[in-house]
Amino acid sequence: AQTVTQSQPEMSVQEAETVTLSCTYDTSESDYYLFWYKQPPSRQMILVIRQEAYKQQNATENRFSVNFQKAAKSFSLKISDSQLGDAAMYFCASIQGAQKLVFGQGTRLTINP
Amino acid sequence: DSGVTQTPKHLITATGQRVTLRCSPRSGDLSVYWYQQSLDQGLQFLIQYYNGEERAKGNILERFSAQQFPDLHSELNLSSLELGDSALYFCASSLVDRAEQYFGPGTRLTVT
């Protein structure tokens, strides 16, 4: 069974600084997709970024970027110039074979002003 | 706004009752997914429909059922409700398999 692990239950960062959230996953597939979702206090699940396993280039969306290490099965999210609105639960997720998303347990990110 | 709508936003009901949660996917999306988010189980996949047909099943209880209608909206039916069914239920949609899934705002179910 596919698994996704987020080893940091909580993280905090000063406003305007950079923070990296960690994620590892387990797979026997060669073709899979990885995602980061953000869940603010409103509880809405918001897609942050997507990475296809076959792409070597790391995905980037404005202040959000990933460090995808395929051999190590690692998929970390870097948030640059952290803003108060970035405070949320962040979930790492993968799709392998079947279509369902498998989520990690989440990392709660606090932004300190 | 993801374009996925869910109703109702909140639902409070008693044990043993039955409820129906409704989801309308983004325009053009053929796949609908249901997820349950509870405090102790995290986000769990329940079931997927693609263009009206059941496509994949997760840890969905026998007391739960779902369907997708010709207009592509979907309903999740929860029956014989138990206290442990209290959770946030999300619907998500995608255009094709393995594409990014866009989530609705969720339905918060409280069973008393």
Side-chain angles (χ1 to χ4, degrees), chain A residues 29 31-33 35 37 39 42-45 47 50 91 95-101 103-105, chain B residues 2 33 35 37 40-43 45 48 55-56 88 90 97-105 108:
Chain A
E29 303 280 338
D31 183 20
Y32 53 93
Y33 296 73
F35 305 87
Y37 281 87
Q39 188 176 40
S42 67
R43 306 304 298 272
Q44 173 80 50
M45 292 291 288
L47 177 65
R50 159 191 163 122
F91 291 95
I95 291 180
Q96 309 167 22
Q99 295 76 31
K100 64 177 182 178
L101 279 168
F103 289 90
Q105 289 302 103
Chain B
S2 67
Y33 310 78
Y35 293 87
Q37 185 177 32
D40 56 347
Q41 294 290 323
L43 274 154
F45 168 74
Q48 179 206 1
R55 183 76 153 226
L88 190 54
F90 285 108
D97 287 348
R98 299 196 178 194
E100 47 268 39
Q101 296 178 21
Y102 293 91
F103 283 72
R108 179 174 295 281

mmCIF file of all heavy atoms in Angstrom, chain A residues 29 31-33 35 37 39 42-45 47 50 91 95-101 103-105, chain B residues 2 33 35 37 40-43 45 48 55-56 88 90 97-105 108:
data_model
loop_
_atom_site.group_PDB
_atom_site.id
_atom_site.type_symbol
_atom_site.label_atom_id
_atom_site.label_comp_id
_atom_site.label_asym_id
_atom_site.label_seq_id
_atom_site.Cartn_x
_atom_site.Cartn_y
_atom_site.Cartn_z
ATOM 1 N N GLU A 29 5.756 2.083 -7.842
ATOM 2 C CA GLU A 29 5.412 2.501 -9.191
ATOM 3 C C GLU A 29 6.504 3.401 -9.770
ATOM 4 O O GLU A 29 7.264 4.027 -9.039
ATOM 5 C CB GLU A 29 4.088 3.300 -9.151
ATOM 6 C CG GLU A 29 2.917 2.550 -8.553
ATOM 7 C CD GLU A 29 2.288 1.587 -9.527
ATOM 8 O OE1 GLU A 29 2.462 1.790 -10.739
ATOM 9 O OE2 GLU A 29 1.631 0.639 -9.080
ATOM 10 N N ASP A 31 5.424 5.554 -12.262
ATOM 11 C CA ASP A 31 4.617 6.671 -12.716
ATOM 12 C C ASP A 31 3.672 7.090 -11.599
ATOM 13 O O ASP A 31 2.777 6.324 -11.219
ATOM 14 C CB ASP A 31 3.824 6.257 -13.966
ATOM 15 C CG ASP A 31 3.022 7.414 -14.530
ATOM 16 O OD1 ASP A 31 3.362 8.573 -14.218
ATOM 17 O OD2 ASP A 31 2.067 7.160 -15.278
ATOM 18 N N TYR A 32 3.872 8.259 -11.080
ATOM 19 C CA TYR A 32 3.014 8.740 -10.001
ATOM 20 C C TYR A 32 3.082 10.262 -9.952
ATOM 21 O O TYR A 32 3.895 10.890 -10.628
ATOM 22 C CB TYR A 32 3.418 8.128 -8.651
ATOM 23 C CG TYR A 32 4.872 8.298 -8.290
ATOM 24 C CD1 TYR A 32 5.299 9.377 -7.530
ATOM 25 C CD2 TYR A 32 5.823 7.367 -8.702
ATOM 26 C CE1 TYR A 32 6.641 9.529 -7.196
ATOM 27 C CE2 TYR A 32 7.153 7.513 -8.373
ATOM 28 C CZ TYR A 32 7.565 8.587 -7.624
ATOM 29 O OH TYR A 32 8.895 8.740 -7.309
ATOM 30 N N TYR A 33 2.205 10.836 -9.167
ATOM 31 C CA TYR A 33 2.095 12.289 -9.052
ATOM 32 C C TYR A 33 2.090 12.661 -7.580
ATOM 33 O O TYR A 33 1.539 11.936 -6.754
ATOM 34 C CB TYR A 33 0.809 12.783 -9.720
ATOM 35 C CG TYR A 33 0.772 12.531 -11.203
ATOM 36 C CD1 TYR A 33 0.581 11.253 -11.711
ATOM 37 C CD2 TYR A 33 0.952 13.571 -12.105
ATOM 38 C CE1 TYR A 33 0.572 11.010 -13.067
ATOM 39 C CE2 TYR A 33 0.938 13.345 -13.464
ATOM 40 C CZ TYR A 33 0.754 12.051 -13.941
ATOM 41 O OH TYR A 33 0.752 11.824 -15.277
ATOM 42 N N PHE A 35 1.578 15.960 -4.675
ATOM 43 C CA PHE A 35 0.896 17.238 -4.479
ATOM 44 C C PHE A 35 1.148 17.770 -3.070
ATOM 45 O O PHE A 35 1.396 17.002 -2.139
ATOM 46 C CB PHE A 35 -0.620 17.089 -4.641
ATOM 47 C CG PHE A 35 -1.055 16.472 -5.943
ATOM 48 C CD1 PHE A 35 -1.141 15.109 -6.082
ATOM 49 C CD2 PHE A 35 -1.397 17.277 -7.016
ATOM 50 C CE1 PHE A 35 -1.546 14.523 -7.277
ATOM 51 C CE2 PHE A 35 -1.808 16.717 -8.215
ATOM 52 C CZ PHE A 35 -1.883 15.339 -8.347
ATOM 53 N N TYR A 37 -1.157 20.225 -0.565
ATOM 54 C CA TYR A 37 -2.415 20.934 -0.348
ATOM 55 C C TYR A 37 -2.288 21.734 0.942
ATOM 56 O O TYR A 37 -1.631 21.335 1.895
ATOM 57 C CB TYR A 37 -3.594 19.961 -0.222
ATOM 58 C CG TYR A 37 -4.111 19.420 -1.531
ATOM 59 C CD1 TYR A 37 -3.549 18.291 -2.100
ATOM 60 C CD2 TYR A 37 -5.167 20.040 -2.184
ATOM 61 C CE1 TYR A 37 -4.029 17.791 -3.303
ATOM 62 C CE2 TYR A 37 -5.662 19.542 -3.386
ATOM 63 C CZ TYR A 37 -5.086 18.416 -3.939
ATOM 64 O OH TYR A 37 -5.574 17.924 -5.128
ATOM 65 N N GLN A 39 -4.540 23.657 4.000
ATOM 66 C CA GLN A 39 -5.852 23.732 4.635
ATOM 67 C C GLN A 39 -5.821 24.822 5.701
ATOM 68 O O GLN A 39 -5.367 24.590 6.820
ATOM 69 C CB GLN A 39 -6.265 22.387 5.249
ATOM 70 C CG GLN A 39 -7.701 22.386 5.752
ATOM 71 C CD GLN A 39 -8.138 21.024 6.266
ATOM 72 O OE1 GLN A 39 -7.386 20.310 6.930
ATOM 73 N NE2 GLN A 39 -9.379 20.645 5.964
ATOM 74 N N SER A 42 -10.265 27.936 7.610
ATOM 75 C CA SER A 42 -11.580 27.758 6.983
ATOM 76 C C SER A 42 -11.863 26.297 6.636
ATOM 77 O O SER A 42 -12.994 25.937 6.318
ATOM 78 C CB SER A 42 -11.659 28.597 5.705
ATOM 79 O OG SER A 42 -10.755 28.093 4.724
ATOM 80 N N ARG A 43 -10.823 25.461 6.670
ATOM 81 C CA ARG A 43 -10.891 24.012 6.392
ATOM 82 C C ARG A 43 -10.979 23.694 4.897
ATOM 83 O O ARG A 43 -11.033 22.540 4.517
ATOM 84 C CB ARG A 43 -12.039 23.323 7.140
ATOM 85 C CG ARG A 43 -12.062 23.547 8.629
ATOM 86 C CD ARG A 43 -10.771 23.143 9.325
ATOM 87 N NE ARG A 43 -10.455 21.736 9.212
ATOM 88 C CZ ARG A 43 -10.880 20.814 10.044
ATOM 89 N NH1 ARG A 43 -11.654 21.131 11.052
ATOM 90 N NH2 ARG A 43 -10.519 19.542 9.875
ATOM 91 N N GLN A 44 -10.994 24.710 4.056
ATOM 92 C CA GLN A 44 -10.966 24.471 2.618
ATOM 93 C C GLN A 44 -9.647 23.829 2.224
ATOM 94 O O GLN A 44 -8.595 24.225 2.700
ATOM 95 C CB GLN A 44 -11.134 25.803 1.873
ATOM 96 C CG GLN A 44 -10.946 25.724 0.378
ATOM 97 C CD GLN A 44 -12.177 25.190 -0.337
ATOM 98 O OE1 GLN A 44 -13.289 25.651 -0.113
ATOM 99 N NE2 GLN A 44 -11.992 24.216 -1.219
ATOM 100 N N MET A 45 -9.664 22.828 1.360
ATOM 101 C CA MET A 45 -8.445 22.187 0.852
ATOM 102 C C MET A 45 -8.046 22.897 -0.439
ATOM 103 O O MET A 45 -8.787 22.887 -1.422
ATOM 104 C CB MET A 45 -8.687 20.705 0.571
ATOM 105 C CG MET A 45 -8.921 19.877 1.813
ATOM 106 S SD MET A 45 -7.442 19.719 2.822
ATOM 107 C CE MET A 45 -6.466 18.608 1.805
ATOM 108 N N LEU A 47 -5.191 23.400 -3.449
ATOM 109 C CA LEU A 47 -4.014 22.850 -4.122
ATOM 110 C C LEU A 47 -2.925 23.915 -4.189
ATOM 111 O O LEU A 47 -3.164 25.024 -4.648
ATOM 112 C CB LEU A 47 -4.384 22.396 -5.529
ATOM 113 C CG LEU A 47 -3.245 21.854 -6.388
ATOM 114 C CD1 LEU A 47 -2.696 20.564 -5.804
ATOM 115 C CD2 LEU A 47 -3.726 21.629 -7.813
ATOM 116 N N ARG A 50 1.964 20.859 -7.753
ATOM 117 C CA ARG A 50 1.912 19.484 -8.273
ATOM 118 C C ARG A 50 3.240 19.134 -8.932
ATOM 119 O O ARG A 50 3.865 19.994 -9.555
ATOM 120 C CB ARG A 50 0.774 19.407 -9.281
ATOM 121 C CG ARG A 50 0.848 18.264 -10.293
ATOM 122 C CD ARG A 50 -0.175 18.448 -11.381
ATOM 123 N NE ARG A 50 0.113 17.633 -12.545
ATOM 124 C CZ ARG A 50 -0.721 16.740 -13.045
ATOM 125 N NH1 ARG A 50 -1.876 16.540 -12.490
ATOM 126 N NH2 ARG A 50 -0.392 16.056 -14.119
ATOM 127 N N PHE A 91 -0.693 19.490 3.698
ATOM 128 C CA PHE A 91 -0.741 18.056 3.481
ATOM 129 C C PHE A 91 0.012 17.703 2.201
ATOM 130 O O PHE A 91 -0.216 18.293 1.139
ATOM 131 C CB PHE A 91 -2.189 17.576 3.343
ATOM 132 C CG PHE A 91 -2.986 17.663 4.610
ATOM 133 C CD1 PHE A 91 -3.780 18.767 4.872
ATOM 134 C CD2 PHE A 91 -2.957 16.634 5.534
ATOM 135 C CE1 PHE A 91 -4.529 18.855 6.032
ATOM 136 C CE2 PHE A 91 -3.698 16.703 6.706
ATOM 137 C CZ PHE A 91 -4.481 17.818 6.946
ATOM 138 N N ILE A 95 -0.630 10.264 -5.824
ATOM 139 C CA ILE A 95 -1.502 9.385 -6.602
ATOM 140 C C ILE A 95 -0.601 8.380 -7.300
ATOM 141 O O ILE A 95 0.325 8.761 -8.005
ATOM 142 C CB ILE A 95 -2.305 10.143 -7.660
ATOM 143 C CG1 ILE A 95 -3.356 11.029 -7.010
ATOM 144 C CG2 ILE A 95 -2.977 9.177 -8.628
ATOM 145 C CD1 ILE A 95 -4.189 11.810 -7.984
ATOM 146 N N GLN A 96 -0.862 7.090 -7.055
ATOM 147 C CA GLN A 96 -0.094 6.029 -7.688
ATOM 148 C C GLN A 96 -1.065 4.973 -8.180
ATOM 149 O O GLN A 96 -1.882 4.483 -7.433
ATOM 150 C CB GLN A 96 0.861 5.382 -6.683
ATOM 151 C CG GLN A 96 1.727 6.343 -5.911
ATOM 152 C CD GLN A 96 2.395 5.669 -4.733
ATOM 153 O OE1 GLN A 96 2.554 4.459 -4.707
ATOM 154 N NE2 GLN A 96 2.808 6.448 -3.753
ATOM 155 N N GLY A 97 -0.960 4.602 -9.447
ATOM 156 C CA GLY A 97 -1.818 3.528 -9.933
ATOM 157 C C GLY A 97 -3.277 3.924 -9.871
ATOM 158 O O GLY A 97 -3.816 4.512 -10.795
ATOM 159 N N ALA A 98 -3.938 3.634 -8.781
ATOM 160 C CA ALA A 98 -5.338 4.027 -8.603
ATOM 161 C C ALA A 98 -5.433 5.546 -8.552
ATOM 162 O O ALA A 98 -4.446 6.243 -8.478
ATOM 163 C CB ALA A 98 -5.892 3.408 -7.329
ATOM 164 N N GLN A 99 -6.657 6.007 -8.593
ATOM 165 C CA GLN A 99 -6.837 7.443 -8.751
ATOM 166 C C GLN A 99 -6.930 8.203 -7.440
ATOM 167 O O GLN A 99 -6.976 9.413 -7.425
ATOM 168 C CB GLN A 99 -8.114 7.690 -9.569
ATOM 169 C CG GLN A 99 -8.038 7.183 -10.989
ATOM 170 C CD GLN A 99 -8.172 5.679 -11.071
ATOM 171 O OE1 GLN A 99 -8.846 5.075 -10.266
ATOM 172 N NE2 GLN A 99 -7.508 5.084 -12.029
ATOM 173 N N LYS A 100 -6.977 7.480 -6.338
ATOM 174 C CA LYS A 100 -7.219 8.162 -5.082
ATOM 175 C C LYS A 100 -5.970 8.886 -4.604
ATOM 176 O O LYS A 100 -4.839 8.459 -4.822
ATOM 177 C CB LYS A 100 -7.641 7.158 -4.018
ATOM 178 C CG LYS A 100 -6.553 6.151 -3.690
ATOM 179 C CD LYS A 100 -6.988 5.217 -2.573
ATOM 180 C CE LYS A 100 -5.870 4.249 -2.217
ATOM 181 N NZ LYS A 100 -6.255 3.372 -1.101
ATOM 182 N N LEU A 101 -6.195 9.980 -3.915
ATOM 183 C CA LEU A 101 -5.116 10.690 -3.240
ATOM 184 C C LEU A 101 -4.870 10.016 -1.889
ATOM 185 O O LEU A 101 -5.804 9.741 -1.156
ATOM 186 C CB LEU A 101 -5.499 12.144 -2.995
ATOM 187 C CG LEU A 101 -5.350 13.124 -4.150
ATOM 188 C CD1 LEU A 101 -6.038 14.437 -3.815
ATOM 189 C CD2 LEU A 101 -3.883 13.360 -4.460
ATOM 190 N N PHE A 103 -2.942 10.826 1.574
ATOM 191 C CA PHE A 103 -2.429 11.999 2.269
ATOM 192 C C PHE A 103 -1.514 11.622 3.429
ATOM 193 O O PHE A 103 -1.697 10.587 4.075
ATOM 194 C CB PHE A 103 -3.583 12.821 2.845
ATOM 195 C CG PHE A 103 -4.408 13.540 1.821
ATOM 196 C CD1 PHE A 103 -5.509 12.935 1.248
ATOM 197 C CD2 PHE A 103 -4.073 14.825 1.431
ATOM 198 C CE1 PHE A 103 -6.277 13.595 0.296
ATOM 199 C CE2 PHE A 103 -4.830 15.504 0.490
ATOM 200 C CZ PHE A 103 -5.937 14.892 -0.079
ATOM 201 N N GLY A 104 -0.551 12.498 3.695
ATOM 202 C CA GLY A 104 0.196 12.416 4.932
ATOM 203 C C GLY A 104 -0.646 12.965 6.066
ATOM 204 O O GLY A 104 -1.779 13.418 5.865
ATOM 205 N N GLN A 105 -0.081 12.961 7.271
ATOM 206 C CA GLN A 105 -0.832 13.388 8.445
ATOM 207 C C GLN A 105 -0.876 14.897 8.604
ATOM 208 O O GLN A 105 -1.604 15.406 9.455
ATOM 209 C CB GLN A 105 -0.247 12.755 9.696
ATOM 210 C CG GLN A 105 -0.514 11.255 9.790
ATOM 211 C CD GLN A 105 -2.001 10.943 9.772
ATOM 212 O OE1 GLN A 105 -2.571 10.504 8.773
ATOM 213 N NE2 GLN A 105 -2.683 11.181 10.884
ATOM 214 N N SER B 2 -12.866 26.961 -5.672
ATOM 215 C CA SER B 2 -12.406 25.864 -6.525
ATOM 216 C C SER B 2 -13.365 25.559 -7.657
ATOM 217 O O SER B 2 -12.988 24.899 -8.626
ATOM 218 C CB SER B 2 -12.215 24.605 -5.678
ATOM 219 O OG SER B 2 -13.482 24.146 -5.192
ATOM 220 N N TYR B 33 -14.716 12.551 -6.367
ATOM 221 C CA TYR B 33 -14.132 11.767 -5.282
ATOM 222 C C TYR B 33 -14.757 12.228 -3.959
ATOM 223 O O TYR B 33 -15.027 13.413 -3.782
ATOM 224 C CB TYR B 33 -12.623 12.000 -5.195
ATOM 225 C CG TYR B 33 -11.865 11.865 -6.487
ATOM 226 C CD1 TYR B 33 -11.884 12.891 -7.439
ATOM 227 C CD2 TYR B 33 -11.110 10.731 -6.762
ATOM 228 C CE1 TYR B 33 -11.190 12.776 -8.628
ATOM 229 C CE2 TYR B 33 -10.397 10.624 -7.952
ATOM 230 C CZ TYR B 33 -10.448 11.640 -8.883
ATOM 231 O OH TYR B 33 -9.755 11.532 -10.053
ATOM 232 N N TYR B 35 -14.009 12.164 0.224
ATOM 233 C CA TYR B 35 -13.021 11.942 1.275
ATOM 234 C C TYR B 35 -13.650 12.279 2.625
ATOM 235 O O TYR B 35 -14.522 13.137 2.735
ATOM 236 C CB TYR B 35 -11.796 12.846 1.094
ATOM 237 C CG TYR B 35 -10.965 12.541 -0.128
ATOM 238 C CD1 TYR B 35 -11.266 13.112 -1.364
ATOM 239 C CD2 TYR B 35 -9.867 11.681 -0.051
ATOM 240 C CE1 TYR B 35 -10.498 12.829 -2.487
ATOM 241 C CE2 TYR B 35 -9.098 11.397 -1.169
ATOM 242 C CZ TYR B 35 -9.424 11.975 -2.374
ATOM 243 O OH TYR B 35 -8.656 11.698 -3.481
ATOM 244 N N GLN B 37 -12.569 13.461 6.519
ATOM 245 C CA GLN B 37 -11.495 13.963 7.374
ATOM 246 C C GLN B 37 -11.976 13.950 8.822
ATOM 247 O O GLN B 37 -12.856 14.715 9.204
ATOM 248 C CB GLN B 37 -11.064 15.375 6.982
ATOM 249 C CG GLN B 37 -9.866 15.856 7.799
ATOM 250 C CD GLN B 37 -9.376 17.237 7.384
ATOM 251 O OE1 GLN B 37 -10.152 18.087 6.957
ATOM 252 N NE2 GLN B 37 -8.076 17.467 7.487
ATOM 253 N N ASP B 40 -8.949 11.583 14.193
ATOM 254 C CA ASP B 40 -8.057 10.466 14.466
ATOM 255 C C ASP B 40 -7.625 9.710 13.218
ATOM 256 O O ASP B 40 -6.613 9.000 13.240
ATOM 257 C CB ASP B 40 -8.711 9.499 15.462
ATOM 258 C CG ASP B 40 -10.070 9.017 14.967
ATOM 259 O OD1 ASP B 40 -10.594 9.617 14.013
ATOM 260 O OD2 ASP B 40 -10.601 8.044 15.541
ATOM 261 N N GLN B 41 -8.342 9.860 12.115
ATOM 262 C CA GLN B 41 -8.015 9.097 10.907
ATOM 263 C C GLN B 41 -7.425 9.953 9.795
ATOM 264 O O GLN B 41 -7.044 9.444 8.759
ATOM 265 C CB GLN B 41 -9.259 8.387 10.365
ATOM 266 C CG GLN B 41 -9.797 7.303 11.278
ATOM 267 C CD GLN B 41 -8.873 6.111 11.338
ATOM 268 O OE1 GLN B 41 -8.264 5.728 10.354
ATOM 269 N NE2 GLN B 41 -8.734 5.535 12.521
ATOM 270 N N GLY B 42 -7.379 11.254 9.992
ATOM 271 C CA GLY B 42 -6.846 12.107 8.926
ATOM 272 C C GLY B 42 -7.777 12.102 7.723
ATOM 273 O O GLY B 42 -8.978 11.866 7.840
ATOM 274 N N LEU B 43 -7.199 12.343 6.558
ATOM 275 C CA LEU B 43 -7.968 12.392 5.311
ATOM 276 C C LEU B 43 -7.976 11.009 4.672
ATOM 277 O O LEU B 43 -6.937 10.479 4.298
ATOM 278 C CB LEU B 43 -7.355 13.392 4.339
ATOM 279 C CG LEU B 43 -7.800 14.823 4.492
ATOM 280 C CD1 LEU B 43 -6.744 15.775 3.990
ATOM 281 C CD2 LEU B 43 -9.107 15.044 3.740
ATOM 282 N N PHE B 45 -9.725 8.435 1.709
ATOM 283 C CA PHE B 45 -10.483 8.300 0.478
ATOM 284 C C PHE B 45 -11.641 7.334 0.690
ATOM 285 O O PHE B 45 -11.466 6.253 1.257
ATOM 286 C CB PHE B 45 -9.563 7.791 -0.628
ATOM 287 C CG PHE B 45 -10.254 7.330 -1.871
ATOM 288 C CD1 PHE B 45 -10.801 8.238 -2.755
ATOM 289 C CD2 PHE B 45 -10.358 5.975 -2.162
ATOM 290 C CE1 PHE B 45 -11.430 7.816 -3.917
ATOM 291 C CE2 PHE B 45 -10.979 5.541 -3.323
ATOM 292 C CZ PHE B 45 -11.529 6.458 -4.201
ATOM 293 N N GLN B 48 -14.726 6.876 -5.623
ATOM 294 C CA GLN B 48 -14.609 7.710 -6.805
ATOM 295 C C GLN B 48 -15.623 7.286 -7.853
ATOM 296 O O GLN B 48 -15.841 6.083 -8.060
ATOM 297 C CB GLN B 48 -13.218 7.607 -7.429
ATOM 298 C CG GLN B 48 -13.055 8.457 -8.690
ATOM 299 C CD GLN B 48 -11.993 7.942 -9.648
ATOM 300 O OE1 GLN B 48 -11.353 6.923 -9.397
ATOM 301 N NE2 GLN B 48 -11.787 8.648 -10.744
ATOM 302 N N ARG B 55 -15.594 3.992 -9.915
ATOM 303 C CA ARG B 55 -14.267 3.759 -10.476
ATOM 304 C C ARG B 55 -13.318 3.141 -9.448
ATOM 305 O O ARG B 55 -12.506 2.284 -9.784
ATOM 306 C CB ARG B 55 -13.690 5.094 -10.942
ATOM 307 C CG ARG B 55 -12.346 5.021 -11.619
ATOM 308 C CD ARG B 55 -12.471 4.505 -13.031
ATOM 309 N NE ARG B 55 -11.394 4.991 -13.859
ATOM 310 C CZ ARG B 55 -11.563 5.485 -15.074
ATOM 311 N NH1 ARG B 55 -12.749 5.567 -15.611
ATOM 312 N NH2 ARG B 55 -10.532 5.895 -15.763
ATOM 313 N N ALA B 56 -13.394 3.603 -8.239
ATOM 314 C CA ALA B 56 -12.495 3.087 -7.204
ATOM 315 C C ALA B 56 -13.172 3.227 -5.850
ATOM 316 O O ALA B 56 -13.978 4.122 -5.636
ATOM 317 C CB ALA B 56 -11.164 3.836 -7.201
ATOM 318 N N LEU B 88 -15.563 15.820 8.756
ATOM 319 C CA LEU B 88 -15.703 16.728 7.619
ATOM 320 C C LEU B 88 -15.643 15.868 6.361
ATOM 321 O O LEU B 88 -14.703 15.092 6.180
ATOM 322 C CB LEU B 88 -14.558 17.740 7.650
ATOM 323 C CG LEU B 88 -14.586 18.942 6.725
ATOM 324 C CD1 LEU B 88 -15.866 19.734 6.861
ATOM 325 C CD2 LEU B 88 -13.378 19.836 7.024
ATOM 326 N N PHE B 90 -15.428 15.755 2.371
ATOM 327 C CA PHE B 90 -15.058 16.545 1.199
ATOM 328 C C PHE B 90 -15.420 15.820 -0.082
ATOM 329 O O PHE B 90 -15.289 14.597 -0.186
ATOM 330 C CB PHE B 90 -13.545 16.786 1.162
ATOM 331 C CG PHE B 90 -13.051 17.812 2.130
ATOM 332 C CD1 PHE B 90 -12.334 17.434 3.253
ATOM 333 C CD2 PHE B 90 -13.273 19.163 1.906
ATOM 334 C CE1 PHE B 90 -11.856 18.379 4.141
ATOM 335 C CE2 PHE B 90 -12.795 20.118 2.789
ATOM 336 C CZ PHE B 90 -12.090 19.715 3.910
ATOM 337 N N ASP B 97 -8.080 11.132 -14.883
ATOM 338 C CA ASP B 97 -7.338 10.415 -13.848
ATOM 339 C C ASP B 97 -5.966 11.029 -13.659
ATOM 340 O O ASP B 97 -5.337 11.472 -14.614
ATOM 341 C CB ASP B 97 -7.160 8.955 -14.246
ATOM 342 C CG ASP B 97 -8.462 8.188 -14.128
ATOM 343 O OD1 ASP B 97 -9.406 8.716 -13.537
ATOM 344 O OD2 ASP B 97 -8.511 7.058 -14.620
ATOM 345 N N ARG B 98 -5.527 11.053 -12.420
ATOM 346 C CA ARG B 98 -4.200 11.510 -12.027
ATOM 347 C C ARG B 98 -4.010 13.004 -12.219
ATOM 348 O O ARG B 98 -2.913 13.514 -12.041
ATOM 349 C CB ARG B 98 -3.104 10.762 -12.794
ATOM 350 C CG ARG B 98 -3.136 9.281 -12.539
ATOM 351 C CD ARG B 98 -1.876 8.640 -12.963
ATOM 352 N NE ARG B 98 -1.892 7.225 -12.680
ATOM 353 C CZ ARG B 98 -0.830 6.463 -12.696
ATOM 354 N NH1 ARG B 98 0.335 6.987 -12.954
ATOM 355 N NH2 ARG B 98 -0.921 5.192 -12.442
ATOM 356 N N ALA B 99 -5.047 13.678 -12.597
ATOM 357 C CA ALA B 99 -4.957 15.133 -12.640
ATOM 358 C C ALA B 99 -5.160 15.674 -11.239
ATOM 359 O O ALA B 99 -5.630 14.978 -10.347
ATOM 360 C CB ALA B 99 -6.011 15.705 -13.578
ATOM 361 N N GLU B 100 -4.799 16.934 -11.057
ATOM 362 C CA GLU B 100 -5.018 17.531 -9.747
ATOM 363 C C GLU B 100 -6.497 17.528 -9.406
ATOM 364 O O GLU B 100 -7.355 17.726 -10.268
ATOM 365 C CB GLU B 100 -4.465 18.963 -9.704
ATOM 366 C CG GLU B 100 -4.844 19.817 -10.867
ATOM 367 C CD GLU B 100 -3.817 19.746 -11.977
ATOM 368 O OE1 GLU B 100 -3.280 18.664 -12.247
ATOM 369 O OE2 GLU B 100 -3.556 20.799 -12.590
ATOM 370 N N GLN B 101 -6.791 17.274 -8.152
ATOM 371 C CA GLN B 101 -8.157 17.249 -7.676
ATOM 372 C C GLN B 101 -8.461 18.550 -6.958
ATOM 373 O O GLN B 101 -7.665 19.018 -6.137
ATOM 374 C CB GLN B 101 -8.369 16.055 -6.733
ATOM 375 C CG GLN B 101 -8.202 14.710 -7.427
ATOM 376 C CD GLN B 101 -8.360 13.532 -6.494
ATOM 377 O OE1 GLN B 101 -8.956 13.637 -5.417
ATOM 378 N NE2 GLN B 101 -7.848 12.388 -6.906
ATOM 379 N N TYR B 102 -9.590 19.120 -7.272
ATOM 380 C CA TYR B 102 -10.043 20.361 -6.655
ATOM 381 C C TYR B 102 -11.156 20.040 -5.669
ATOM 382 O O TYR B 102 -12.106 19.338 -6.006
ATOM 383 C CB TYR B 102 -10.498 21.351 -7.726
ATOM 384 C CG TYR B 102 -9.340 21.820 -8.578
ATOM 385 C CD1 TYR B 102 -8.998 21.157 -9.746
ATOM 386 C CD2 TYR B 102 -8.569 22.906 -8.185
ATOM 387 C CE1 TYR B 102 -7.904 21.561 -10.508
ATOM 388 C CE2 TYR B 102 -7.490 23.325 -8.948
ATOM 389 C CZ TYR B 102 -7.163 22.651 -10.103
ATOM 390 O OH TYR B 102 -6.089 23.059 -10.856
ATOM 391 N N PHE B 103 -11.001 20.575 -4.481
ATOM 392 C CA PHE B 103 -11.890 20.229 -3.384
ATOM 393 C C PHE B 103 -12.987 21.265 -3.179
ATOM 394 O O PHE B 103 -12.767 22.472 -3.331
ATOM 395 C CB PHE B 103 -11.088 20.105 -2.081
ATOM 396 C CG PHE B 103 -10.320 18.816 -1.974
ATOM 397 C CD1 PHE B 103 -9.198 18.592 -2.750
ATOM 398 C CD2 PHE B 103 -10.723 17.825 -1.097
ATOM 399 C CE1 PHE B 103 -8.490 17.391 -2.658
ATOM 400 C CE2 PHE B 103 -10.027 16.631 -0.983
ATOM 401 C CZ PHE B 103 -8.912 16.412 -1.764
ATOM 402 N N GLY B 104 -14.150 20.754 -2.789
ATOM 403 C CA GLY B 104 -15.220 21.624 -2.342
ATOM 404 C C GLY B 104 -14.969 22.086 -0.922
ATOM 405 O O GLY B 104 -13.990 21.673 -0.287
ATOM 406 N N PRO B 105 -15.844 22.930 -0.389
ATOM 407 C CA PRO B 105 -15.648 23.480 0.963
ATOM 408 C C PRO B 105 -15.921 22.490 2.072
ATOM 409 O O PRO B 105 -15.588 22.749 3.227
ATOM 410 C CB PRO B 105 -16.638 24.644 1.016
ATOM 411 C CG PRO B 105 -17.699 24.261 0.040
ATOM 412 C CD PRO B 105 -17.011 23.501 -1.056
ATOM 413 N N ARG B 108 -19.628 19.587 7.159
ATOM 414 C CA ARG B 108 -19.297 19.162 8.531
ATOM 415 C C ARG B 108 -20.488 18.441 9.121
ATOM 416 O O ARG B 108 -21.556 19.042 9.313
ATOM 417 C CB ARG B 108 -18.910 20.353 9.404
ATOM 418 C CG ARG B 108 -18.575 19.940 10.832
ATOM 419 C CD ARG B 108 -18.065 21.097 11.654
ATOM 420 N NE ARG B 108 -16.799 21.611 11.165
ATOM 421 C CZ ARG B 108 -15.618 21.049 11.393
ATOM 422 N NH1 ARG B 108 -15.547 19.935 12.107
ATOM 423 N NH2 ARG B 108 -14.522 21.591 10.931
#
